[in-house]
Amino acid sequence: KQSSISKLCNPVCLNFDLSKPPVRLIVRKVSELNNFEIEGLLPALFYAAISEGRGISRQVNDPSDIKKYVQSLVEHPAVSFTNVTDRFALMNNLVRTTLIKTSNRGRGAKKAEKIAAIAPYSILSHKTGLPMPSSYMRNVDKFLYNIMLKNAGKQEAIILRLKDVFGKGIQLGTFPLYHSQYDGATPVNILTRISIAFLDGFKPISAKANQPEKRVSPACPHFAEEIGIDVLRYMNEYHQLMQTEAFTYYFHSLLNFELFVYTLKLVHGANNLVSQPDTTPSVFLNEPNDSPSLPLIYLDFTQIKNGASYEMAKRCVLRDIDAYLRFVYSNLYLRQLSRYVKSMKRGSRNADIEQLMEGETNGAGYILGLSKLRQDDSLWRDIEASAHRDEELIRIENQNEDDKDNTDLSWLDEIADFGQNDFERVIYLLTEAQQKHTNSNYITWYWQTGGIRKPYGLLAGDVKSRYSWRYEPTNDLLATLVQVAAVRLNDKNAIQPIRLIDFLAFLKNRFGIIIDEPPELTIGTEYQAAARENVLALQYRLRQMGLFLDLSDDFTEQYIIPPYQTVKKA
């Protein structure tokens, strides 16, 4: 019966696709929020930038034919062997451990090993079209492209930046067949050269013959702008300081972390907007707020099980899991409002809606405009009438065909009666129809981008036991955060040591991350003391990593040394 609800009202869940601003998420069908692999993001981002956001015309490379691509590498004229008896086995091992990531796709007899990601040691990795950006990437590639475009100003600037970092010696192809090639002369490191030789075995993909995708406004404008600054500055400052493999690794760490925090802020913001439509969550503002954006994320470094610091990190996770579960309702609330607005704009209420929403058509402005609809009694009455009609259609759809007069629909009332008006009644029905499916997808996104199974994760714990989850960054993620802070806190011509106190302030103001103070969830002197101990644990961790410079007992004179430094240029 609940599947009939979904079929009738077409409540395609937002499923939190980050590639578009929430409004675009609300008004269109989007991919599911699950099973996101950060390792496949960069090739998709390269393609999005080169093609100006166009889609792929068709896939010409078979991701399951791994043997074919390995054999092509074995026979490549740039590859030579000395005293190797089994060349294929050697190259097969190299490809699988260094150049690709595989996964099992499909079910039953169709289940097969496929290429899940291509190592992005060269911008040439865009030519494979693997994985398909619109499917496996949840459109995150286009989300990043859009915010980088806003920061850089024009597409050519992004191409030049990406080519400078990832495209040495690569001659980029042109629309519609992006047949990019290595010039064969520009010196590149051995890992990049072997990667290029491997990519020569793939056919170039072609773009759809449509216009470049229009720029869209992000859901959290200021936060998205900060991501663009972080990404572009990080590439500019660090790509020459690290080996290709190390840079790619830490860049993945940065992107994964930024996506996790952005999503979390937006989930909480949407929930707050729906529950309190008269307030404006700070994440939807165009300008930075004086206070850090909520929620505050407490990181534990003590690793003392059942300790107060450990408990605070776990409580924050439980709070955020609850927010994701509540987002199912908030998501559908905004989605359905947008559906009614779209219908009303085709009628006589277009002028009234345009005036109330101030002409906003996407991004944070549109979402905030939707929340204003309840301020207009006349418009809200029309929305209530549409919702009442939808509920009646749901009842009709769920009646027994053989006995429509006596069908017991009390189960519908038990669900709908949670709503305080006709609109909320419909949202509760839609939420119930989608709850089980979307809950699973949201939580999968949360722990995957949280990185429980990654060496640069923010989350720690057993995947199968949510109660064990806590915010406890790995050493590699901590190194990434130090690198980002060093880029943002120093001027553009240097990456130098930063004060510990400035590092803590940067994490709080930029990401809402706290280490030296308890989150709002906990009150008491024991938590204050635990936060102070947590700072000492952070110092110990940094010292173990060789990143801490303790010049004195004065907290203001304790410095963090970035893993890669530069001196100020003349």
Side-chain angles (χ1 to χ4, degrees):
K1 291 181 179 179
Q2 293 175 12
S3 63
S4 298
I5 298 176
S6 299
K7 181 179 179 181
L8 176 67
C9 292
N10 188 28
V12 179
C13 193
L14 224 54
N15 286 335
F16 217 66
D17 177 350
L18 293 182
S19 66
K20 305 288 184 185
V23 175
R24 293 293 297 275
L25 297 177
I26 291 166
V27 300
R28 63 184 294 182
K29 298 181 181 181
V30 294
S31 53
E32 296 177 355
L33 177 68
N34 62 359
N35 198 31
F36 175 75
E37 295 289 350
I38 191 71
E39 289 79 5
L41 176 57
L42 284 180
L45 175 61
F46 298 156
Y47 177 80
I50 293 169
S51 67
E52 298 182 83
R54 293 184 176 92
I56 295 174
S57 177
R58 65 186 182 91
Q59 181 54 267
V60 295
N61 295 302
D62 183 359
S64 63
D65 199 355
I66 301 175
K67 290 183 179 180
K68 170 186 173 182
Y69 303 122
V70 173
Q71 186 61 41
S72 175
L73 179 59
V74 172
E75 299 172 356
H76 196 282
V79 177
S80 60
F81 300 87
T82 303
N83 298 326
V84 177
T85 55
D86 193 340
R87 299 180 178 184
F88 183 88
L90 176 65
M91 288 292 101
N92 186 55
N93 184 60
L94 173 66
V95 167
R96 290 174 176 276
T97 58
T98 308
L99 302 183
I100 66 172
K101 179 178 180 180
T102 62
S103 64
N104 290 322
R105 303 285 184 183
R107 295 180 178 178
K110 294 183 178 180
K111 189 173 182 179
E113 184 185 37
K114 297 184 179 181
I115 297 175
I118 301 285
Y121 299 132
S122 169
I123 198 173
L124 192 62
S125 58
H126 77 272
K127 68 176 281 189
T128 69
L130 301 175
M132 290 288 281
S134 61
S135 57
Y136 298 149
M137 287 299 100
R138 315 300 169 202
N139 285 324
V140 175
D141 53 320
K142 294 181 181 177
F143 167 76
L144 286 173
Y145 166 63
N146 271 288
I147 60 178
M148 289 172 66
L149 185 61
K150 182 176 182 180
N151 188 275
K154 53 184 179 179
Q155 187 225 10
E156 292 78 7
I158 297 179
I159 296 296
L160 287 174
R161 185 72 60 88
L162 291 175
K163 197 171 184 301
D164 183 44
V165 177
F166 298 98
K168 291 180 177 61
I170 302 299
Q171 299 171 338
L172 296 178
T174 56
F175 175 82
L177 185 65
Y178 295 103
H179 191 3
S180 305
Q181 301 179 71
Y182 175 55
D183 62 16
T186 303
V188 294
N189 63 57
I190 186 63
L191 185 60
T192 301
R193 185 64 188 93
I194 198 71
S195 173
I196 291 172
F198 174 66
L199 294 170
D200 284 343
F202 292 83
K203 297 178 182 178
I205 54 175
S206 59
K208 290 182 179 179
N210 58 334
Q211 294 297 319
E213 188 165 294
K214 295 181 179 179
R215 295 190 187 187
V216 289
S217 301
C220 307
H222 175 67
F223 212 88
E225 183 179 356
E226 289 293 307
I227 294 177
I229 295 173
D230 287 345
V231 170
L232 292 172
R233 288 284 303 277
Y234 191 92
M235 285 196 300
N236 184 58
E237 298 296 333
Y238 285 110
H239 79 277
Q240 292 182 332
L241 299 177
M242 307 183 198
Q243 293 294 327
T244 301
E245 192 169 12
F247 175 80
T248 304
Y249 176 83
Y250 282 113
F251 197 50
H252 278 149
S253 173
L254 172 64
L255 294 177
N256 198 80
F257 172 77
E258 296 271 11
L259 289 172
F260 178 86
V261 176
Y262 181 90
T263 312
L264 186 63
K265 301 292 185 182
L266 185 48
V267 165
H268 278 270
N271 289 343
N272 292 337
L273 185 66
V274 169
S275 63
Q276 304 174 44
D278 295 333
T279 63
T280 302
S282 60
V283 294
F284 297 134
L285 298 176
N286 285 300
E287 299 296 331
N289 204 346
D290 292 336
S291 57
S293 59
L294 299 177
L296 297 179
I297 305 170
Y298 180 84
L299 307 186
D300 173 55
F301 289 91
T302 66
Q303 298 181 320
I304 302 175
K305 290 187 177 181
N306 301 322
S309 180
Y310 194 86
E311 179 188 346
M312 287 189 285
K314 286 177 64 175
R315 284 194 187 184
C316 286
V317 167
L318 293 175
R319 171 204 63 197
D320 296 338
I321 290 176
D322 179 67
Y324 268 90
L325 298 181
R326 289 188 292 115
F327 182 68
V328 178
Y329 176 87
S330 304
N331 183 4
L332 288 170
Y333 186 102
L334 296 171
R335 163 73 168 78
Q336 198 69 1
L337 264 184
S338 181
R339 177 175 176 264
Y340 290 148
V341 165
K342 185 177 180 180
S343 176
M344 292 163 62
K345 289 180 72 173
R346 290 195 295 263
S348 59
R349 307 306 304 269
N350 181 54
D352 297 329
I353 293 173
E354 288 290 324
Q355 182 178 1
L356 183 67
M357 301 183 67
E358 299 178 355
E360 296 284 358
T361 59
N362 62 57
Y366 186 83
I367 290 184
L368 296 175
L370 290 176
S371 70
K372 296 178 183 177
L373 291 172
R374 299 194 67 162
Q375 300 174 9
D376 189 300
D377 293 338
S378 177
L379 287 173
W380 191 252
R381 281 196 299 270
D382 288 350
I383 290 173
E384 284 277 272
S386 297
H388 181 78
R389 183 174 61 253
D390 279 346
E391 183 178 345
E392 290 303 312
L393 291 174
I394 289 173
R395 291 180 177 277
I396 293 172
E397 184 71 13
N398 285 278
Q399 285 178 335
N400 190 310
E401 290 292 335
D402 299 325
D403 188 15
K404 290 188 176 182
D405 294 333
N406 297 319
T407 298
D408 181 12
L409 296 179
S410 59
W411 65 276
L412 275 174
D413 289 322
E414 291 177 3
I415 299 170
D417 284 348
F418 284 101
Q420 298 181 4
N421 51 54
D422 288 329
F423 177 74
E424 290 184 2
R425 289 175 65 87
V426 169
I427 303 305
Y428 274 107
L429 290 173
L430 299 181
T431 301
E432 181 66 22
Q434 302 250 349
Q435 192 91 36
K436 182 177 180 180
H437 177 67
T438 51
N439 279 357
S440 175
N441 289 346
Y442 287 179
I443 299 304
T444 300
W445 169 274
Y446 176 76
W447 69 256
Q448 283 203 332
T449 54
I452 284 184
R453 290 178 174 172
K454 290 183 172 66
Y456 42 75
L458 182 66
L459 282 175
D462 183 354
V463 172
K464 296 181 180 180
S465 174
R466 292 185 194 174
Y467 187 71
S468 70
W469 297 0
R470 60 201 177 276
Y471 289 122
E472 183 184 300
T474 64
N475 285 355
D476 289 347
L477 178 57
L478 179 58
T480 302
L481 295 179
V482 170
Q483 292 168 4
V484 174
V487 166
R488 297 297 301 269
L489 295 176
N490 283 302
D491 61 44
K492 293 185 179 181
N493 295 320
I495 301 174
Q496 297 175 324
I498 55 177
R499 295 193 306 167
L500 176 61
I501 190 173
D502 293 335
F503 176 65
L504 296 176
F506 170 78
L507 292 182
K508 182 177 180 180
N509 296 329
R510 170 67 184 87
F511 302 108
I513 285 179
I514 52 177
I515 297 171
D516 59 339
E517 62 180 277
E520 71 280 4
L521 301 169
T522 53
I523 300 175
T525 56
E526 69 273 25
Y527 297 111
Q528 296 283 353
R532 289 193 292 270
E533 291 295 324
N534 196 39
V535 176
L536 296 178
L538 169 65
Q539 294 173 347
Y540 179 75
R541 177 89 70 88
L542 291 169
R543 189 176 289 110
Q544 282 186 315
M545 296 168 61
L547 305 181
F548 189 62
L549 183 61
D550 194 354
L551 297 178
S552 72
D553 293 334
D554 185 358
F555 189 62
T556 62
E557 293 301 320
Q558 294 172 345
Y559 284 80
I560 299 176
I561 306 170
Y564 299 89
Q565 295 185 71
T566 61
V567 295
K568 189 169 184 178
K569 301 173 185 177

